[in-house]
């Protein structure tokens, strides 16, 4: 996973990490009993499982994980923010995340990263940096209009993201997740299909109301997932939302219409906790850009390279701590 060559993009990535540290505090590695620090989605769990592709996936893409009979996967469920011990019931713990690593061979893999909110607050990294700086400049007691109020007033996509409902699930296993970016699936004849991923629970979605949520333990999602997978496997369906002519392919703030066709790409089955979970979380760095495999390519969404750089830079810090 290489760093981008664009120096301005690297600087923006480093500046974003700095702002995350101001917002979240510094949690460089481990504390006793804690998870490793990510600049975002710090609290989570790693699970082992298997991906089994559908016949439709084989028609859309030559990628090995869509054509092999099955592929071992490493999946991380997580809360939002860079706070390693954020209570699971805290509203800031949403959006939740799922990251799926398809292990295709020694040091060969590709990832799918999705969130419980279907879009991003800004189109570019520079705008997202403005957003974070406005948050930092708006502590409690700041006279209105605060910097963040002014930013949201001039950035309707960011306001829509902030106002979008983000209910807490009863389980990571009962949450739907959305890919933010468009990707290209390339078939054996070179035909390209633009898609966005969705990860849909076979157990169905289930969310907690405020009255139920206030009685939950700070780590109830972590405990529930551990108990669930220890009793037996559970699964999701990996879907592709298919773009049509005229759909915007390079802007993660824009939804595609719900009328777009959904194609099932396969089944994600989770079977066990990864041993030495904390140390493995410290080591693994997920990559939003598909690399080293044929049949899946990135779109021109400018956030892809930025997210990859932020993940890699913060992951290197985490490993070194």
């Amino acid at each position: 996973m290489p760093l981008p060559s664009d120096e301005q993009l690297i600087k923006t990535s480093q500046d974003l990490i700095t702002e995350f540290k101001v917002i979240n505090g510094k949690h460089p590695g481990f504390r006793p009993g804690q998870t490793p620090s990510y600049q975002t989605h710090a609290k989570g769990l790693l699970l082992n499982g298997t991906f089994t592709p559908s016949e439709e996936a084989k028609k859309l893409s030559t990628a090995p994980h869509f054509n092999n009979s099955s592929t071992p996967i490493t999946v991380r469920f997580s809360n939002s923010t860079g706070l390693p011990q954020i209570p699971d019931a805290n509203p800031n713990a949403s959006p939740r995340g799922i990251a799926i690593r398809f292990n295709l061979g020694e040091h060969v893999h590709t990832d799918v990263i999705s969130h419980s909110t279907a879009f991003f607050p800004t189109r570019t990294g520079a705008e997202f940096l403005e957003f974070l700086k406005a948050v930092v400049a708006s502590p409690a007691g700041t006279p209105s209009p605060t910097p963040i109020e002014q930013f949201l007033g001039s950035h309707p996509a960011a306001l829509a993201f902030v106002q979008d409902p983000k209910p807490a699930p009863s389980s990571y296993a009962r949450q739907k997740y959305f890919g933010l970016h468009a990707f290209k699936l390339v078939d054996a004849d070179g035909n390209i299909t633009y898609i966005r991923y969705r990860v849909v629970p076979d157990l169905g979605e289930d969310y907690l109301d405020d009255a139920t949520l206030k009685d939950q333990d700070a780590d109830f999602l972590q405990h529930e997932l551990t108990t669930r997978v220890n009793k037996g496997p559970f699964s999701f369906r990996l879907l592709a939302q298919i773009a049509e002519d005229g759909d915007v392919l390079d802007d993660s703030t824009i939804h595609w219409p719900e009328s777009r066709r959904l194609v099932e790409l396969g089944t994600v089955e989770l079977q066990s906790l990864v041993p030495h979970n904390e140390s493995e979380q410290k080591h693994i760095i997920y990559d939003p850009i598909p690399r080293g495999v044929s049949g899946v390519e990135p779109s021109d969404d400018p956030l892809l390279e930025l997210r990859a750089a932020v993940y890699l830079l913060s992951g290197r810090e985490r490993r070194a701590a």
Side-chain angles (χ1 to χ4, degrees):
M1 181 177 174
L3 276 174
S5 58
D6 186 328
E7 292 184 5
Q8 181 57 51
L9 190 146
I10 295 297
K11 183 180 185 305
T12 301
S13 302
Q14 292 169 332
D15 289 345
L16 282 168
I17 291 170
T18 297
E19 295 302 319
F20 280 130
K21 288 177 179 176
V22 172
I23 294 169
N24 299 317
K26 295 181 179 180
H27 306 279
F30 288 103
R31 296 179 184 175
Q34 291 186 336
T35 54
S37 177
Y38 290 65
Q39 298 306 329
T40 61
H41 293 269
K43 184 178 184 180
L45 282 172
L46 275 177
L47 277 70
N48 288 319
T50 302
F51 175 74
T52 304
S54 68
E55 290 303 314
E56 192 66 24
K58 299 173 184 178
K59 298 175 186 177
L60 289 171
S61 173
T62 59
H65 53 298
F66 292 142
N67 288 272
N68 295 340
S69 59
S70 65
T71 299
I73 54 176
T74 307
V75 175
R76 186 171 189 262
F77 295 93
S78 62
N79 290 347
S80 190
T81 84
L83 300 173
Q85 289 193 319
I86 187 170
D88 292 342
N90 188 313
N92 292 320
S94 287
R96 318 288 166 170
I98 185 172
I100 306 169
R101 169 153 295 177
F102 301 87
N103 298 300
L104 301 170
E106 188 173 2
H107 306 301
V108 181
H109 51 74
T110 190
D111 304 334
V112 168
I113 300 171
S114 300
H115 299 146
S116 59
T117 298
F119 57 102
F120 202 69
T122 65
R123 181 176 183 270
T124 68
E127 285 183 320
F128 190 52
L129 182 58
E130 286 183 54
F131 175 70
L132 293 185
K133 286 183 174 180
V135 171
V136 170
S138 305
T142 303
S144 183
T146 65
I148 189 59
E149 288 171 343
Q150 294 178 58
F151 182 90
L152 295 176
S154 61
H155 292 77
L159 180 62
F161 175 86
V162 169
Q163 294 179 335
D164 190 63
K166 301 174 183 67
S170 62
S171 169
Y172 288 123
R174 303 200 64 181
Q175 171 81 68
K176 181 190 290 185
Y177 304 90
F178 302 85
L180 301 179
H181 312 289
F183 293 92
K184 306 173 193 177
L185 298 186
V186 186
D187 69 16
D189 295 321
N191 298 310
I192 292 173
T193 303
Y194 281 92
I195 63 105
R196 278 178 173 159
Y197 293 108
R198 291 191 182 183
V199 187
V200 178
D202 283 332
L203 292 168
E205 296 175 68
D206 186 53
Y207 301 98
L208 302 179
D209 59 32
D210 291 342
T212 305
L213 193 61
K214 69 180 180 63
D215 295 327
Q216 299 301 312
D217 178 85
D219 300 316
F220 79 93
L221 288 176
Q222 324 302 311
H223 296 156
E224 193 281 338
L225 194 67
T226 299
T227 300
R228 180 181 296 278
V229 75
N230 284 340
K231 289 181 178 179
F234 62 94
S235 60
F236 293 81
R237 288 176 297 135
L238 181 64
L239 306 181
Q241 185 186 29
I242 307 296
E244 294 185 7
D245 289 345
D247 287 341
V248 176
L249 304 174
D250 62 354
D251 189 340
S252 295
T253 70
I254 296 177
H255 293 268
W256 294 344
E258 282 301 305
S259 58
R260 297 295 179 260
R261 185 165 64 102
L262 292 173
V263 172
E264 185 167 339
L265 298 177
T267 300
V268 173
E269 183 178 87
L270 288 313
Q271 298 151 345
S272 64
L273 288 173
V274 171
H276 313 293
N277 215 274
E278 288 188 349
S279 61
E280 290 300 320
Q281 288 192 69
K282 183 176 180 179
H283 178 78
I284 196 167
I285 302 173
Y286 285 94
D287 187 354
I289 297 176
R291 307 179 200 265
V293 294
S294 62
V296 185
E297 299 176 5
S299 66
D300 292 329
D301 190 327
L303 281 177
L304 278 166
E305 286 283 1
L306 179 98
R307 290 183 71 195
V310 169
Y311 290 5
L312 181 55
L313 290 169
S314 62
R316 287 177 177 177
E317 287 187 10
R318 191 168 65 246
R319 289 177 175 180

